[in-house]
């Protein structure tokens, strides 16, 4: 079942209901945050990196700890190119299904894997996007307790079901506004198309005057 038409309505409901999450930018600047979940993937992510570099675009990657452990050099290259990195859980288990101890371990293992691969202080890796976008108020309470920052989304073109590159691009361009956080995937589900999708998408966004920013920049601006 394809849920793409529902995501814009979910966003309108969830954003005011959970204001401590980062759902989008303030909307006063023509910027977007490109985000990619489920990587790094040994084949799809290097292809994506090259497309981003060709268009001089920065992005944000929410990684699975198990994938970082398998491809640490790819993770390192992404970070060294100026992209922002965050946590997507260790193995894509939905956070509400985990006990508090299991969730804390999943986050800590992923944080440690990213820190090792990218030569970062683990305390600097604080942004978390829940797998499948699923969370509960308890999830958010625990994230705050452990000093993590929950990052959500405003444009979800459902690329992981592979509806076609043109369909994904059209969905994004139809929904994008100032400050949008766009979710795409460079992992096992959807990653097959991600480089070609982004190669089409970036020139269209740039032609409309959008600049690409990091999640850190959006957090900073949200406090101004």
């Amino acid at each position: 079942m394809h849920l793409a038409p529902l995501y814009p309505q979910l966003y309108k409901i969830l954003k005011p209901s959970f204001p401590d999450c980062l759902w989008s930018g303030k909307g006063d600047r023509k910027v977007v945050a490109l985000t990619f979940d489920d990587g790094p993937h040994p084949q799809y992510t290097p292809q994506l990196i090259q497309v981003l570099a060709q268009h001089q675009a920065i992005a944000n990657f929410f990684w699975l700890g198990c994938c970082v452990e398998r491809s640490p050099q790819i993770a390192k290259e992404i970070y060294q190119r100026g992209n922002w990195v965050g946590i997507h859980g260790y193995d894509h288990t939905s956070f509400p299904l985990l006990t508090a101890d299991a969730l804390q371990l999943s986050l800590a293992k992923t944080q440690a894997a990213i820190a090792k691969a990218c030569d970062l202080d683990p305390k600097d890796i604080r942004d978390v996007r829940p797998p499948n976008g699923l969370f509960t108020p308890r999830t958010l309470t625990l994230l705050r307790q452990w000093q993590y920052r929950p990052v959500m989304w405003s444009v979800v073109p459902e690329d992981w079901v592979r509806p076609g590159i043109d369909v994904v691009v059209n969905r994004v361009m139809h929904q994008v506004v100032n400050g949008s956080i766009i979710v795409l995937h460079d992992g096992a589900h959807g990653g097959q198309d991600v480089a070609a999708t982004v190669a089409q998408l970036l020139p269209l966004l740039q032609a409309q005057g959008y600049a690409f920013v990091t999640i850190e920049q959006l957090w900073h601006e949200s406090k101004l």
Side-chain angles (χ1 to χ4, degrees), residues 47-202:
Q47 296 169 355
L48 172 60
I49 293 171
Q50 293 306 312
V51 173
L52 291 169
Q54 288 166 11
H55 293 273
Q56 299 182 317
I58 58 170
N60 306 267
F61 292 80
F62 289 88
W63 285 329
L64 299 175
C66 62
C67 292
V68 175
E69 290 175 351
R70 286 196 291 263
S71 302
Q73 286 301 120
I74 297 174
K76 182 177 182 180
E77 181 179 0
I78 288 170
Y79 180 72
Q80 288 182 336
R81 286 177 177 264
N83 300 292
W84 192 248
V85 297
I87 296 168
H88 199 45
Y90 186 77
D91 59 5
H92 212 273
T93 301
S94 293
F95 289 172
L97 299 179
L98 298 172
T99 66
D101 287 345
L103 175 57
Q104 188 173 28
L105 180 61
S106 173
L107 297 172
K109 286 175 64 178
T110 306
Q111 187 182 52
I114 296 171
K116 181 179 179 181
C118 300
D119 194 24
L120 289 169
D121 186 331
K123 294 179 181 178
D124 292 334
I125 307 163
R126 301 170 54 206
D127 291 320
V128 176
R129 173 174 286 152
N132 304 309
L134 297 178
F135 64 92
T136 65
R138 169 183 169 275
T139 305
L140 299 182
T141 298
L142 291 172
L143 291 178
R144 287 193 295 270
Q145 179 182 323
W146 299 328
Q147 306 300 310
Y148 293 108
R149 304 187 300 189
V151 178
M152 303 304 177
W153 37 259
S154 59
V155 178
V156 187
E158 208 177 26
D159 62 318
W160 64 89
V161 300
R162 302 187 70 193
I165 293 167
D166 290 342
V167 171
V168 172
V169 171
N170 288 337
R171 286 174 178 171
V172 173
M173 296 308 299
H174 180 70
Q175 297 177 39
V176 70
V177 295
N178 291 3
S180 287
I181 297 179
I182 301 167
V183 179
L184 296 168
H185 295 77
D186 62 326
H189 300 285
Q192 300 93 327
D193 299 330
V194 71
T197 298
V198 173
Q200 284 194 32
L201 188 58
L202 291 181

Side-chain angles (χ1 to χ4, degrees), residues 15 29 57 84 162 218:
K15 182 179 180 182
R29 291 201 301 136
W84 192 248
R162 302 187 70 193
L218 294 186

